[in-house]
Amino acid sequence: MSPFTALAPSLEEEVDPHVADFYRQTLRALNGAGIPFLVGGTFSHACYTGIRRSTKDLDLFIHREDYERIAQLMQRHGWRTELTHPHWLAKVYDGPEFIDLIFNSGNGVTPVDKRWFRGNCRAEILGVPVLIANAEDSLLSKAFIMERERYDGGDIAHLLEANAQRLDWVSLLERFGPHWRVLLAHLTLFGYIYPGQRHHIPDWVMSRLMERLADEMREPPATHENVCAGTLLSREQYLHDVERLGYVDGRLTGASSMTAEDVALWTADIHARKPHCTAGGP
């Protein structure tokens, strides 16, 4: 996508004034320190799609090696920082309000590297000039979020509806790599959701993915370990498979950068974040 692509105005009225001030000060501090970052999440989604919705946080994509420098900068401004999950996520707190500092995906598949910082669009977020995460990287990071309580397929469909004809499809296919089936699943659903817009996905993209599928179907049954890659899509819904059925956790293969300790901490966080159920609840 061209860095000169016109973006829809991002969120202003959807954020409480005191929270917006925290976000604004943080963005200005990072700009002033010359630390590279990209705005993502609800703010970038509004830029690319025009969909405006309230948000509880601000997502910033950073290089992992910049975290310590960012943490020192934030602390000098009186904000608390926390390396919440060392394999992908840190946070900046101003009281109960927070900003997510993201340097990988929760499944360890999509680390933020130098490719994220090429040809980014510029926008003003809460009056501060910033770079926005590319639509291709937003799509990549959202494609693997398929939890019971959160599924980002709708966001992907809206990104495609608004931007499919401007995406760098060569780069996107390369970025998905061995996870091409995930991309094919979302593109197939896009054609179902917007039947009149199917032609916005280049024919060669669908043809190449379908050829891969046909080639795979002609191959003999896999003889490698009995892997469940579902854990790359949901950290909770496939625990039964790896804990009870003997499947190898897809996050502990070469597909992910996660370690056994990362997986254990990420799994423990499921229960830590769930509210207590009342009698008769699920």
Side-chain angles (χ1 to χ4, degrees):
M1 178 171 287
S2 166
F4 305 107
T5 299
L7 299 179
S10 190
L11 310 181
E12 297 285 341
E13 300 176 358
E14 286 77 6
V15 184
D16 290 338
H18 74 284
V19 178
D21 188 55
F22 168 44
Y23 295 167
R24 193 177 295 112
Q25 290 183 57
T26 303
L27 296 174
R28 287 173 176 166
L30 290 169
N31 276 344
I35 300 175
F37 69 93
L38 302 170
V39 174
T42 302
F43 285 89
S44 66
H45 195 65
C47 286
Y48 286 123
T49 67
I51 296 174
R52 309 174 71 88
R53 60 195 185 203
S54 59
T55 179
K56 70 182 188 321
D57 63 3
L58 169 65
D59 290 344
L60 302 181
F61 291 101
I62 65 168
H63 291 298
R64 172 62 182 87
E65 57 266 29
D66 287 330
Y67 168 67
E68 282 71 23
R69 188 156 59 116
I70 293 173
Q72 293 175 5
L73 176 66
M74 299 295 102
Q75 290 162 13
R76 287 200 296 271
H77 282 76
W79 301 313
R80 181 172 67 87
T81 60
E82 172 187 277
L83 190 56
T84 313
H85 289 285
H87 75 284
W88 80 284
L89 175 71
K91 290 180 180 289
V92 180
Y93 288 97
D94 180 25
E97 312 302 336
F98 63 91
I99 293 170
D100 282 339
L101 303 176
I102 302 168
F103 43 86
N104 203 330
S105 52
N107 61 8
V109 169
T110 59
V112 177
D113 56 27
K114 62 184 180 181
R115 293 177 295 183
W116 286 62
F117 290 82
R118 293 174 179 167
N120 302 94
C121 295
R122 296 183 178 274
E124 282 201 358
I125 300 296
L126 303 175
V128 181
V130 296
L131 294 177
I132 300 296
N134 286 325
E136 292 85 355
D137 291 314
S138 295
L139 192 155
L140 176 68
S141 62
K142 287 177 174 293
F144 294 88
I145 301 176
M146 301 186 188
E147 300 287 353
R148 288 184 65 188
E149 73 280 5
R150 177 179 170 183
Y151 170 67
D152 279 6
D155 281 356
I156 291 176
H158 287 124
L159 277 171
L160 291 171
E161 192 277 333
N163 302 282
Q165 294 173 298
R166 296 190 294 271
L167 294 181
D168 182 349
W169 286 101
V170 172
S171 173
L172 195 59
L173 283 173
E174 187 271 330
R175 298 293 294 282
F176 270 89
H179 311 287
W180 57 269
R181 271 180 173 265
V182 178
L183 177 60
L184 176 58
H186 284 293
L187 297 184
T188 301
L189 282 174
F190 173 77
Y192 176 80
I193 296 167
Y194 299 108
Q197 310 300 321
R198 292 174 187 166
H199 62 285
H200 288 176
I201 308 298
D203 289 345
W204 70 266
V205 172
M206 296 302 296
S207 295
R208 185 170 302 180
L209 291 172
M210 294 301 293
E211 287 170 5
R212 289 184 185 178
L213 184 63
D215 290 342
E216 190 177 78
M217 291 174 63
R218 286 191 289 267
E219 295 175 357
T223 57
H224 53 69
E225 291 181 306
N226 202 25
V227 174
C228 176
T231 53
L232 298 173
L233 303 174
S234 169
R235 63 174 171 170
E236 181 176 11
Q237 295 183 92
Y238 300 94
L239 290 178
H240 174 78
D241 301 75
V242 299
E243 294 176 351
R244 301 291 182 87
L245 301 183
Y247 281 89
V248 174
D249 192 326
R251 297 170 295 185
L252 299 179
T253 68
S256 170
S257 61
M258 294 181 74
T259 65
E261 182 180 4
D262 293 332
V263 169
L265 291 172
W266 193 218
T267 301
D269 188 70
I270 297 170
H271 306 292
R273 292 180 178 274
K274 282 187 176 180
H276 295 294
C277 296
T278 57

